[in-house]
Amino acid sequence: MKTFGDIAGEVLRFANRTDLDKETVVKEAINRRYKEILQFYNWPELLQETTVTATTETVGLPQSVAKIIKVYDRTNNRVVMPLPDQDLTERYIKDIGSAGNPQYYSRLGNRGVLTQPSAATALVAVTDAGSDSGTYRVRGYDANGLLVEDEKTIGTVTDRIFTSVLHFSKSVPTSGVISLKDNTEASTYARLAREEKVARYAVIRLHPIPTSVSLHITHSTRVSDLDDDEDDLLLDCEHILVIGAFSDLLRNLRQFAQAEAEELRYQTLLEGFLRDRLGSDSTWAFMPDMNKRTERV
């Protein structure tokens, strides 16, 4: 299987180009096309599992969680059923906030932190590399419910006081892992890996609210952009990416007629790839049927 650098090099050779600015165009195009293919289906290569302990109504999930497939309550040996949040709140309006073993969960989108501050506090982003350049940015709400934001050098405490956080990011890749903490550095709310710039955690609402349960979550994983030339692909689709990126490069070079021809070639290759993979794929056959587990018809 070709690496990221191999794919980019092949595209550049097709166009007989060696300039660095076109290499950047090609690598950006490869990442766009790759994410397009990854989003077509719950590919088995993306399947992962994680376990979290839930003690509150809203629960933050690891950054690796992209799409939730199934949620199991391992403490009580049952499947937690998905229900859109609007339906959940309307159907159980009188019971929202009640305690018990969770029967339903709803997806509340993504937040900038895994857990929210328990009280109003200033925040600080610290690195595990001793020191790091760059800035970090936090946006959220203060004690008056006003939307506030602050941007500081890594290692410097915010001027603003936050009761909840919506967004946490940094300006540049860093040498170490960046953690968002309270101003005493006693609690950690979010982390950013060296190459990550924006924190994004999936959040779910549970009903009823558990005292403490172990949730086992099957999910598709969030895939980062290909970055280093040595990066490899999760799917065996490099031949498709070469043609798709070549089409984008031709369009950048204003060779529109040839770009359209290569785009049609890309679509044909993609359709063949999807037909071959999905026609014989029984990836989720092992997953328990929720209607059987809940005795629904």
Side-chain angles (χ1 to χ4, degrees), residues 215-289:
L215 297 180
H216 187 80
I217 300 170
T218 304
H219 63 92
S220 61
T221 188
R222 193 183 308 280
V223 179
S224 301
D225 282 348
L226 301 168
D227 183 41
D228 294 330
D229 283 347
E230 294 76 20
D231 288 347
D232 58 354
L233 308 179
L234 291 174
L235 301 178
D236 187 13
C237 62
E238 63 265 24
H239 60 299
I240 308 173
L241 296 179
V242 167
I243 302 305
F246 184 43
S247 175
D248 289 341
L249 177 59
L250 290 170
R251 194 171 292 109
N252 178 267
L253 294 170
R254 305 186 67 79
Q255 299 178 28
F256 299 114
Q258 188 179 355
E260 184 63 26
E262 294 298 333
E263 184 65 29
L264 291 174
R265 186 181 173 195
Y266 166 80
Q267 293 296 335
T268 300
L269 289 171
L270 178 58
E271 290 171 8
F273 175 78
L274 295 174
R275 183 172 56 251
D276 291 344
R277 284 296 303 266
L278 303 186
S280 60
D281 198 315
S282 57
T283 304
W284 309 116
F286 75 95
M287 303 296 286
D289 185 283

Side-chain angles (χ1 to χ4, degrees), residues 283-296:
T283 304
W284 309 116
F286 75 95
M287 303 296 286
D289 185 283
M290 287 194 293
N291 289 330
K292 292 180 181 179
R293 290 291 296 270
T294 57
E295 298 181 355
R296 294 188 174 194

Side-chain angles (χ1 to χ4, degrees), residues 8 10 42-43 71 129 133 135 154 162 207 213-214 282 284:
E10 185 172 344
N42 291 326
W43 303 109
V71 178
S133 59
T135 61
I154 292 173
F162 294 86
H207 173 76
V213 296
S214 176
S282 57
W284 309 116

